[in-house]
Amino acid sequence: MLNIFGPCNNLGVGTHCLNFGYAIERAGVEICLIPPFGSISVQNESINRWLKNRETFDPKNPSLMIFDSSFLTQFSGTPRIGFAVFETDGFDPIQLAAIKSCDKIITPSEWGRRVLALHGIDAVVVHEGFDPEQFKAQPTPTGIIKFCHVGKSEVRKGTRQVVECFFNALENEEAYLEMHCENPFIIGWQDEIRSFLQARNFGAFGVGISAGPYNPIWRRGGLSIKLFPSQSENLAAVYASSDCGIFPSKGEGFGLPILECLATGVPAIVGNWTGQSEYLGDSYPRELTLENFYSEPANDGVWYNGNKGSWNVPSDKELISKIRWAYEHVRAFRATERWALEAARLREYTWDAAVAAFKEKVLYK
């Protein structure tokens, strides 16, 4: 029996926890699930079975916590294994003390291992993954060139930069940008994007302009931008219908939407830094890799206040250039053997592979 302390929801950490749990169970390990604060937002037969095992919870069994690092003092088990997933190169004192309280620490990249080592913490790298049954390789779409961006609307994810650079790169072209970027923790998350579009004479079409589950399509000339709540659609279908992803994140623990997009066979414009650099590797195409950036203290006034190290700010000029390149070349690029080999390599990062490494390196060692 493995005790897993983690959430059940459709957000990043919740998706990580659920998929890791499913893979653990497929590997023949029974699970006792203890969700933070006792609440869940996703239910199915597996989850109900895991929750029922709380009735016989045994703190002598090994426990794994998949949650914000600040909570890593708040679980029991023998040993206590913390999954430290973080986006910047530093920690506040509470995070650091919580991570150090664990008997074992795992992290999803060599970058993360190096950051922890600088703070006196030994960690084992366990790569994270994607669901190959849900995110299947797809053919190149036809029609208007479509870009996509997935991730909570926030400064770290570069949400506004995606919109601005898409507009500046393709102002006089015909192209479509679909953004799944609802942030349930920030009221009015779409206001800044809406103001930017209105100031550039985009018009709103459709329902839900000010409220409701959907936001409208914003159009100006041949450009269309649609803002979806991130949990409203089948993301596999979003990637499958796209030509290219745009992910100018300032920092990622590993970047689940990035990996899911790439594993679908859809190239993405992404920064070669922090956790996602582990998955891009040395062979990822330079035409799509963001390499020009400056580092600054991580500060968004919400989750980061300058006391958790630094993140990397991508260059607007380079992002505009990469979007332009993708607009002109990405469909032909997707037909090359070079991309076929890269996409196949990326599909090796599955949740089952992650659990196999976890069992070998951590659970039974």
Side-chain angles (χ1 to χ4, degrees):
M1 178 82 72
L2 174 68
N3 303 318
I4 296 183
F5 291 75
C8 294
N9 57 46
N10 292 319
L11 299 174
V13 176
T15 299
H16 171 181
C17 180
L18 290 174
N19 281 285
F20 206 83
Y22 297 145
I24 282 281
E25 193 169 58
R26 287 194 297 271
V29 179
E30 198 170 354
I31 292 171
C32 173
L33 178 67
I34 302 94
F37 318 117
S39 62
I40 60 174
S41 59
V42 175
Q43 284 186 286
N44 57 41
E45 184 178 331
S46 292
I47 294 171
N48 291 337
R49 183 168 58 252
W50 303 345
L51 291 171
K52 185 171 178 58
N53 285 335
R54 289 181 298 178
E55 298 172 6
T56 56
F57 171 79
D58 187 348
K60 294 181 181 179
N61 287 331
S63 292
L64 171 67
M65 176 170 268
I66 304 174
F67 201 46
D68 184 278
S69 297
S70 300
F71 290 84
L72 288 178
T73 56
Q74 301 180 28
F75 73 113
S76 59
T78 311
R80 297 171 59 254
I81 307 165
F83 209 143
V85 183
F86 47 90
E87 299 87 13
T88 59
D89 60 5
F91 310 94
D92 65 34
I94 293 175
Q95 281 183 309
L96 197 56
I99 294 171
K100 288 183 175 180
S101 77
C102 296
D103 300 311
K104 297 182 179 182
I105 287 292
I106 59 178
T107 196
S109 74
E110 280 293 333
W111 169 81
R113 187 196 63 78
R114 291 193 300 270
V115 170
L116 289 166
L118 289 173
H119 292 84
I121 300 167
D122 292 328
V124 175
V125 175
V126 174
H127 294 127
E128 300 197 65
F130 76 102
D131 180 355
E133 295 302 315
Q134 182 180 3
F135 298 94
K136 299 179 182 295
Q138 298 292 334
T140 304
T142 58
I144 187 173
I145 293 286
K146 177 183 171 184
F147 293 82
C148 68
H149 172 78
V150 176
K152 297 191 303 295
S153 178
E154 57 180 288
V155 172
R156 178 176 64 84
K157 293 286 187 179
T159 313
R160 173 161 176 158
Q161 188 179 26
V162 171
V163 176
E164 291 183 354
C165 290
F166 173 78
F167 170 74
N168 288 327
L170 304 175
E171 179 179 359
N172 299 312
E173 307 292 354
E174 185 178 14
Y176 182 83
L177 171 62
E178 186 166 325
M179 303 187 69
H180 290 252
C181 52
E182 176 188 23
N183 192 330
F185 305 109
I186 298 179
I187 297 173
W189 59 269
Q190 63 275 72
D191 291 346
E192 185 179 24
I193 301 172
R194 181 183 294 127
S195 296
F196 173 84
L197 295 172
Q198 289 173 333
R200 283 150 186 81
N201 299 317
F202 277 79
F205 296 83
V207 298
I209 292 176
S210 60
Y214 291 93
N215 288 281
I217 295 178
W218 294 83
R219 294 192 180 119
R220 171 181 156 165
L223 290 188
S224 298
I225 298 175
K226 187 158 188 176
L227 304 176
F228 273 106
S230 56
Q231 302 174 51
S232 64
E233 293 289 310
N234 178 347
L235 292 180
V238 172
Y239 298 133
S241 65
S242 299
D243 291 283
C244 186
I246 308 176
F247 297 97
S249 179
K250 296 173 175 60
E252 292 287 351
F254 85 110
L256 178 59
I258 298 171
L259 181 57
E260 290 173 342
C261 179
L262 296 173
T264 310
V266 179
I269 300 166
V270 59
N272 190 24
W273 47 72
T274 61
Q276 73 266 30
S277 62
E278 181 94 357
Y279 302 82
L280 300 181
D282 296 332
S283 61
Y284 195 75
R286 296 284 298 275
E287 296 91 337
L288 296 162
T289 304
L290 299 172
E291 298 175 315
N292 297 322
F293 65 90
Y294 64 89
S295 294
E296 68 175 12
N299 193 341
D300 62 5
V302 181
W303 310 111
Y304 301 88
N305 295 292
N307 62 344
K308 297 179 182 178
S310 300
W311 57 25
N312 298 329
V313 182
S315 156
D316 284 347
K317 181 179 179 180
E318 185 180 30
L319 180 55
I320 290 167
S321 174
K322 301 295 183 181
I323 292 172
R324 187 72 209 181
W325 184 91
Y327 178 79
E328 296 173 350
H329 302 291
V330 74
R331 285 187 176 172
F333 178 74
R334 288 180 63 168
T336 63
E337 182 180 5
R338 178 186 173 199
W339 177 246
L341 291 171
E342 187 68 10
R345 179 188 68 80
L346 289 158
R347 287 190 66 81
E348 296 175 1
Y349 290 106
T350 64
W351 290 111
D352 287 336
V355 164
F358 173 70
K359 289 174 65 179
E360 177 186 355
K361 296 180 179 181
V362 182
L363 190 58
Y364 298 139
K365 186 171 182 179

